[in-house]
């Protein structure tokens, strides 16, 4: 999701595209309009049960305070929101309870946990690093963006203990274990246009920041490396009118590490990348792929358990546009499924197919491929994924060339007259259930009653940060 200064650009583009969709619809009177769910109406497949919902609570319950990512530890879920973090007790997934809320504004509040520490991304220019900060232009030298660190040893009273400033802020971040008592935090950020440029954030922004955190001395956390990932400048973009445009690569939106395999997948605006992270301070590029015909904005990535496939998502429209309709079609704004072929430094990413939800969404619904993770079914490649107002999708890509749908859950639009941002930002499988952080409606809990997923019920994790994958075999 584009945030802060970046959201203004996407919002203007979204308005233009929404108007174009309306014009196209009016120009085709002989085409029957599809029947969409009513406002807030829940629709789902028969094999998905909606077992719980907790609405957003004040002060996070405004349209502007979007729910964002989720991390898990033990019986707790840590759910980001543009206003801070909500901690839920999910010990009984059918009866989740709010344990505490941390008020700490700063989009987009991407969240991860490691031991007694919680990491929070701030990607909007602030007047200071406190949890009472306000917005301030990026052109002001003293403005702050970066990572905030909290002590969550007492989940009822999290304590803010440290901030680490990053060039261009932290849109998302990824944690990578660094050995006993050490965690590396990979910070992803990017430039969307000249309005993003400031004293600390300049073109070419072709790097990430690596923060080293000693869990015994977390207040000593600091940036220890800024590896350049695109020495050739990355994808220059095609400069075509939106929505055909392929974004210029000026950083990465999301990095997904697979520490057990010492590899990482980068969704980096105009590029999809496979990295070697044997040396965590110096990620090394193995292969780069582009899809200038159908991919607009490489947004996130998911390995399969064997690490011989990657699913890349395309955030067409920046999370502010209706893209799940006949006007856009089935290939633009879709997932791209790639096999990893070969070994070592000769590994290549080979495209196999696209996958997109097949339920048309109304032109007042922001629908876009977003965050998901593997459902741990041994021997199968099955994923749950958020699609904003396209809802939550469960699908199988065991056959890379022929992915198929297993089930879904979604709500109708917030409005029949206005395009509004809503729906599932992150939908993750954790210890038997799917937890969806709905941007406007709060935390949803789903149970998929499908025999194909039954083996996953036996796989349990003590901690889950989706952007740091682990093999099922270890649990």
């Amino acid at each position: 999701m584009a945030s802060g200064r970046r959201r203004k650009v996407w919002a203007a583009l979204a308005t233009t595209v929404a108007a174009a969709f309306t014009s196209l619809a009016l120009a085709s009177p002989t085409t029957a309009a599809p029947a969409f769910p009513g406002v807030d109406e829940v629709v789902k497949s028969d094999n998905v049960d909606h077992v719980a919902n907790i609405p957003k609570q004040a002060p996070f319950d405004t349209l502007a305070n979007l729910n964002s990512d989720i991390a898990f530890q033990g019986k707790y879920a840590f759910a980001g929101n543009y206003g801070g973090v909500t901690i839920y007790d999910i010990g009984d997934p059918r009866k989740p309870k709010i344990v505490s809320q941390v008020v700490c504004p700063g989009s987009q509040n991407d969240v991860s946990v490691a031991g007694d520490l919680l990491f929070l991304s701030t990607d909007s220019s602030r007047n200071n690093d406190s949890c009472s900060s306000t917005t301030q232009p990026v052109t002001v030298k003293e403005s702050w963006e970066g990572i905030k660190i909290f002590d969550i040893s007492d989940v009822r009273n999290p304590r803010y203990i440290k901030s680490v400033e990053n060039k261009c802020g932290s849109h998302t971040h990824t944690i990578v274990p660094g050995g006993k008592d050490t965690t590396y935090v990979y910070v992803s950020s990017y430039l969307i246009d000249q309005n993003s440029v400031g004293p600390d954030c300049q073109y070419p922004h072709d790097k990430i920041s690596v923060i080293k955190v000693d869990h015994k001395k977390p207040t000593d956390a600091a940036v220890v490396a800024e590896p350049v990932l695109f020495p050739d400048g990355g994808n220059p973009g095609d400069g075509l009118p939106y929505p055909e445009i392929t974004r210029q690569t000026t950083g990465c939106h999301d990095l997904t590490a697979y520490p057990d395999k010492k590899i990482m997948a980068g969704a980096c605006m105009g590029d999809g990348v496979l990295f070697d992270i044997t040396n965590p301070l110096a990620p090394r590029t193995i292969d780069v792929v582009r899809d200038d015909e159908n991919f607009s904005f490489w947004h996130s990535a998911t390995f399969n358990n064997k690490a011989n496939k990657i699913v890349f998502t395309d955030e067409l429209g920046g999370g502010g546009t209706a893209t799940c309709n006949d006007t856009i079609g089935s290939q633009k704004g879709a997932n791209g499924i790639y096999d990893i072929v070969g070994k070592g430094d000769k590994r290549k990413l080979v495209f196999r197919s696209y996958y997109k939800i097949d339920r048309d969404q109304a032109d007042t619904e922001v629908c876009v491929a977003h965050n998901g993770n593997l459902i741990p079914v041994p021997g199968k490649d099955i994923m749950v994924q958020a699609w904003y107002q396209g809802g939550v999708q469960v699908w199988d890509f065991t056959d890379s060339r022929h992915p198929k749908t297993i089930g879904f859950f979604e709500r109708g639009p917030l409005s029949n007259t206005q395009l509004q941002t809503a729906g599932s930002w992150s939908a993750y499988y954790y210890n038997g259930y799917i937890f969806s952080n709905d941007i406007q409606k709060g935390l949803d809990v789903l149970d998929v009653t499908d025999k194909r997923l039954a083996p996953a019920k036996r796989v349990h994790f003590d901690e889950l940060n989706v952007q740091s994958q682990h093999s099922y075999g270890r649990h």
Side-chain angles (χ1 to χ4, degrees), residues 67-99:
N67 275 343
S68 57
D69 211 4
I70 322 174
F72 303 90
Q73 187 180 83
K75 67 173 186 175
Y76 299 106
F78 303 81
N81 175 283
Y82 277 41
V85 179
T86 300
I87 302 176
Y88 297 94
D89 183 334
I90 55 171
D92 182 349
R94 293 173 178 268
K95 296 180 180 179
K97 298 177 291 186
I98 292 178
V99 175

Side-chain angles (χ1 to χ4, degrees), residues 277 296 328 346 381 399:
I277 55 169
S296 172
I328 295 296
K346 294 184 178 181
D381 300 326
D399 182 345

Side-chain angles (χ1 to χ4, degrees), residues 32-38 360:
F36 301 116
D360 278 352

Side-chain angles (χ1 to χ4, degrees), residues 9 65 114 161 169 171 210 212 221 232 242 260 269 283 296 299 340 344 404 420 426 448 458-459 461:
V9 177
N65 276 334
I161 60 172
H171 194 68
V210 182
K212 183 178 181 180
D232 64 351
Y242 184 84
D260 296 348
M269 302 182 73
S296 172
H299 172 272
I340 301 174
K404 57 188 178 183
Q420 295 180 327
S426 298
V448 185
R458 297 191 291 271
V459 179
F461 292 86

